[in-house]
Amino acid sequence: MDQFMQTAIDEALLGRQEGGIPIGSVLVHNGSIIGRGHNRRIQRGSPILHGEMDALENAGRQPASVYRESVLYTTLSPCAMCTGAILLYGIPKVIIGENKTFLGEEELLRQRGVDVEVIHSADCIGMMESFIREQPALWNEDIGE
């Protein structure tokens, strides 16, 4: 497993241990993690702290050139909100752990020129399937259903 995806998975597991939704993400620039995070909607009572948003927040303010040279790793296919942030900041590549349990806005990312790679990680799929089975109400809240 790629070290950056493993870090995103570690973030997701941390979120689950905190009582949240197990989705993690890292932002990588020039081979180094500059931001990492996990879904903290439950923990922080936030409507927007999805894993990708938390990783971007934790990266802090960056010049536009940094985003345009970065790769975002996420354990789950990005929703419309996170896709919007990816597009806004011009992140050129997104590596996704899985899209079986939730298919986000991958097609929109591709249409806008983002290189999208889905690795179909058994770890990511199992983590989300387990969570959805055990916490369906929290999952539906997270995806706006």
Side-chain angles (χ1 to χ4, degrees):
M1 164 104 31
D2 176 288
Q3 70 178 12
F4 300 125
M5 183 56 72
Q6 185 58 58
T7 301
I9 291 170
D10 292 345
E11 284 289 325
L13 292 170
L14 179 58
R16 181 80 190 258
Q17 290 170 359
E18 294 172 350
I21 298 163
I23 303 168
S25 185
V26 295
L27 184 64
V28 176
H29 180 255
N30 289 336
S32 296
I33 295 172
I34 62 171
R36 59 191 295 163
H38 52 274
N39 187 305
R40 295 180 197 235
R41 288 186 64 255
I42 305 306
Q43 300 92 312
R44 300 251 176 107
S46 170
I48 61 169
L49 273 182
H50 283 192
E52 299 91 338
M53 303 299 274
D54 193 40
L56 289 168
E57 174 73 15
N58 290 328
R61 289 179 58 201
Q62 299 292 329
S65 61
V66 169
Y67 295 114
R68 287 192 290 258
E69 298 170 345
S70 293
V71 177
L72 183 76
Y73 288 75
T74 181
T75 58
L76 187 64
S77 186
C79 72
M81 176 178 63
C82 296
T83 292
I86 292 163
L87 295 174
L88 176 68
Y89 291 107
I91 297 169
K93 183 168 185 168
V94 178
I95 299 177
I96 300 167
E98 69 104 345
N99 63 5
K100 178 182 174 191
T101 61
F102 177 79
L103 178 59
E105 300 296 331
E106 294 173 27
E107 190 55 37
L108 176 59
L109 289 169
R110 288 185 183 101
Q111 288 172 357
R112 298 284 297 271
V114 176
D115 180 9
V116 176
E117 180 182 339
V118 182
I119 64 170
H120 307 287
S121 162
D123 290 335
C124 293
I125 294 168
M127 187 168 43
M128 286 308 300
E129 285 178 341
S130 173
F131 177 77
I132 292 167
R133 184 175 51 255
E134 295 168 13
Q135 298 285 339
L138 284 181
W139 172 242
N140 287 332
E141 176 188 322
D142 196 61
I143 60 173
E145 290 188 8

